[in-house]
Amino acid sequence: MKLIAGLGNPGPKYLSTRHNVGFDVLDRVARRYGDGSPARSKFHAVIVDVVINGQKVLLVKPTTFMNRSGVSLSEAANFYKLNIEEDILILVDDVALPCGAIRVRPSGSAGGHNGLSDIEERLGSNQYTRLRIGIDEPGQIPQKDYVLGRFREDQREQLEPALEEAVAAVTCWVSNGTTETMNRFNRKATA
């Protein structure tokens, strides 16, 4: 089994915010590969079982706030005895990438992202794959306000194709692993 987690904050207040772009990608994956079965609550998350190219995949949307994202991930990983390096993919926003860019990495630092920091602490490792979705740098806006804000119209236009590309990258990762996904999807963003 593979586990794919989208990061974000729960509740209607945070719908469509920059910090919830991981949720947005996960929702698209669920719509594309789900069989219509209802989501259920487990592991401090909303979870859905899907099959992607013959592979069982557990989609996890934590119901904790971003800075406690590791709670659900560690519970699910321990329950299913998953290999952190091979079986887990995290979908996450990234202010260091231009809006509309995606990057896949097999490991790395949390880079100041509170959700990734909590996951790293609770899993005891940073050796899990992450698919980062660019949301632009905040500029003069305080970062907390920026990530909790909604996309501008010009950003939304750039983001839409990136969300679909992220779903394709998720599909590739499930079938072909991290290296192949990096080779296919890590391209320079065009201005």
Side-chain angles (χ1 to χ4, degrees):
M1 173 179 282
K2 302 282 187 189
L3 183 154
I4 301 172
L7 300 191
N9 285 307
K13 176 181 176 181
Y14 300 102
L15 283 175
S16 302
T17 60
R18 293 178 183 99
H19 224 17
N20 278 28
V21 75
F23 278 5
D24 295 341
V25 174
L26 195 75
D27 290 343
R28 288 174 186 240
V29 172
R31 284 192 299 272
R32 180 150 315 150
Y33 294 106
D35 63 3
S37 298
R40 58 194 200 280
S41 292
K42 191 172 185 176
F43 309 124
H44 293 90
V46 174
I47 61 172
V48 175
D49 296 301
V50 299
V51 176
I52 300 175
N53 296 336
Q55 173 73 51
K56 288 182 182 180
V57 179
L58 180 68
L59 303 181
V60 176
K61 186 189 280 190
T63 54
T64 58
F65 283 95
M66 179 70 80
N67 63 349
R68 296 194 65 234
S69 297
V71 172
S72 59
L73 272 286
S74 62
E75 288 179 3
N78 290 333
F79 182 84
Y80 289 107
K81 298 176 179 28
L82 298 177
N83 179 314
I84 293 170
E85 294 178 25
E86 297 176 11
D87 298 332
I88 295 176
L89 175 65
I90 308 297
L91 310 173
V92 63
D93 62 286
D94 194 321
V95 295
L97 288 176
C99 192
I102 67 170
R103 293 286 183 279
V104 178
R105 293 284 181 256
S107 62
S109 77
H113 193 286
N114 292 334
L116 294 180
S117 293
D118 193 60
I119 290 169
E120 182 177 328
E121 180 181 325
R122 291 177 190 270
L123 291 180
S125 174
N126 67 356
Q127 301 297 305
Y128 53 85
T129 303
R130 71 263 345 248
L131 190 159
R132 302 180 306 144
I133 302 109
I135 62 170
D136 283 337
E137 293 182 354
Q140 299 299 316
I141 302 169
Q143 186 164 318
K144 180 182 178 189
D145 295 337
Y146 180 77
V147 299
L148 295 178
R150 288 183 169 67
F151 289 97
R152 298 184 315 261
E153 188 58 38
D154 63 310
Q155 289 178 319
R156 184 55 67 187
E157 289 174 16
Q158 295 170 318
L159 185 67
E160 188 58 34
L163 296 177
E164 284 303 308
E165 187 175 27
V167 172
V170 165
T171 304
C172 182
W173 176 80
V174 169
S175 300
N176 304 303
T178 301
T179 301
E180 176 65 23
T181 306
M182 288 170 54
N183 290 339
R184 285 184 50 192
F185 291 91
N186 289 359
R187 299 185 293 277
K188 294 273 187 206
T190 56

